[in-house]
Amino acid sequence: MKVGISTASLFPEKHTEEGAHIIKSLGAQVAEVFLSTFYEYRPEFSKALAPQIEGLEINSLHCMPLNFEPNLFNVTRRVRGDGYYWLDQIARSAQLLRCSNYTFHGFIRAGKGQDDMRFIGERIAEAHAFLARYGVHLCLENTAHYAYNRPGVFREIKQFCPDLYGVFDIKQAKRSGYPYQMFLSELEGAIAYVHISDVDENGTTCLPGKGVYDFKEIFSRLKDCGFDGNILIENYRKDYGDYGELKQSLDYLNEILYKLK
């Protein structure tokens, strides 16, 4: 396991390329690149970014999910085609950054109606197969208000997409209202990477090491699940002060991992 930082942790204060530079300067070996605009989805952007961050492993790309991902679940093929235009741009960008993972949210859940899991599963399998042609894995993240919003969903979708991997996000698990252990149990053997953050005694998000979570226990549970991938600090910019605090959090988590070896 390695600990890194997502550029989402510096958004919107810093543009993506600035965030990647700062993460590299903090000594992180791995990062997730959060592409926040259609401008940044274009391969031309990644082509210019790649040489600037040489030496920093790009674990995954993450986009603004509402920009185009819901289109991939539209019943109309022409609307889905618009979504696939941008998914193609993302896949080509991933190749340029030597990145093999895409963090996927899918559609937003606007109500509590009955899910058509066959339709959802088939659409995710379709997008998964599309990205696979570029050597990129679609990794479904547990998120409170999107496709994988509760335990059980991942298992159902895997019936239609057996090779599907997931992204475990502890912040989103809490927002979903379920114990994070339930998501870990369901994702066992299929966790591609992890988004990590912390909460204080009031339940407000903060950097790892500044709150109440026992990361030794969490990392041990991940290890017991057979996970040996990357762990990425993904916080909101409001969760900390200067960038030195990000460095402290990175060092804190690395020390815990070192002691677990």
Side-chain angles (χ1 to χ4, degrees):
M1 287 187 272
K2 287 188 294 187
V3 180
I5 305 172
S6 171
T7 64
S9 301
L10 296 102
F11 178 83
E13 184 175 275
K14 296 295 182 182
H15 290 307
T16 299
E17 65 274 23
E18 296 173 310
H21 282 296
I22 291 169
I23 288 169
K24 186 176 178 181
S25 74
L26 294 176
Q29 296 180 323
V30 60
E32 178 173 77
V33 170
F34 177 62
L35 302 173
S36 57
T37 70
F38 288 108
Y39 165 79
E40 292 181 355
Y41 298 166
R42 300 174 309 125
E44 292 84 354
F45 176 81
S46 292
K47 186 176 182 179
L49 175 64
Q52 300 178 43
I53 55 172
E54 186 69 33
L56 183 64
E57 176 190 339
I58 305 304
N59 174 83
S60 46
L61 297 187
H62 192 334
C63 300
M64 283 285 196
L66 284 177
N67 278 358
F68 70 90
E69 287 183 7
N71 285 30
L72 302 173
F73 295 86
N74 197 278
V75 295
T76 306
R77 283 189 176 274
R78 184 174 290 181
V79 176
R80 293 209 299 272
D82 281 352
Y84 276 102
Y85 171 83
W86 289 108
L87 198 62
D88 173 79
Q89 298 290 288
I90 295 297
R92 294 176 189 276
S93 296
Q95 289 180 323
L96 289 165
L97 293 172
R98 300 178 203 171
C99 167
S100 59
N101 299 307
Y102 174 61
T103 304
F104 188 73
H105 287 199
F107 62 94
I108 193 166
R109 292 184 178 274
K112 298 183 178 180
Q114 185 67 33
D115 290 331
D116 182 347
M117 291 309 298
R118 173 172 291 278
F119 181 80
I120 293 168
E122 288 176 350
R123 297 290 72 75
I124 289 178
E126 187 176 62
H128 182 277
F130 180 88
L131 286 174
R133 295 201 293 268
Y134 295 85
V136 179
H137 305 293
L138 182 150
C139 302
L140 181 64
E141 183 176 27
N142 66 285
T143 48
H145 302 298
Y146 289 84
Y148 183 16
N149 71 329
R150 65 184 185 277
V153 169
F154 188 82
R155 189 176 297 112
E156 291 186 67
I157 292 173
K158 272 187 75 74
Q159 296 178 38
F160 303 93
C161 188
D163 297 330
L164 183 66
Y165 275 77
V167 182
F168 170 64
D169 188 313
I170 194 168
K171 165 178 20 67
Q172 291 293 337
K174 179 175 176 58
R175 287 184 161 194
S176 297
Y178 296 92
Y180 77 82
Q181 293 90 340
M182 292 182 69
F183 289 99
L184 279 185
S185 177
E186 180 173 38
L187 288 167
E188 184 170 352
I191 304 174
Y193 45 99
V194 170
H195 285 159
I196 211 79
S197 57
D198 208 340
V199 293
D200 64 19
E201 61 277 3
N202 298 314
T204 303
T205 53
C206 59
L207 287 175
K210 303 291 186 181
V212 299
Y213 283 151
D214 183 345
F215 286 99
K216 182 178 179 181
E217 177 188 348
I218 292 167
F219 289 177
S220 294
R221 286 181 177 271
L222 284 166
K223 192 174 181 180
D224 290 344
C225 288
F227 176 73
D228 192 31
N230 292 325
I231 297 171
L232 300 151
I233 298 170
E234 188 195 50
N235 275 84
Y236 302 114
R237 182 60 187 91
K238 66 176 179 59
D239 294 341
Y240 64 95
D242 61 50
Y243 302 134
E245 292 181 42
L246 267 178
K247 170 66 172 171
Q248 291 171 7
S249 187
L250 180 69
D251 292 343
Y252 166 76
L253 294 176
N254 273 323
E255 184 176 355
I256 293 174
L257 277 186
Y258 179 77
K259 290 178 179 178
L260 280 177
K261 291 180 180 179

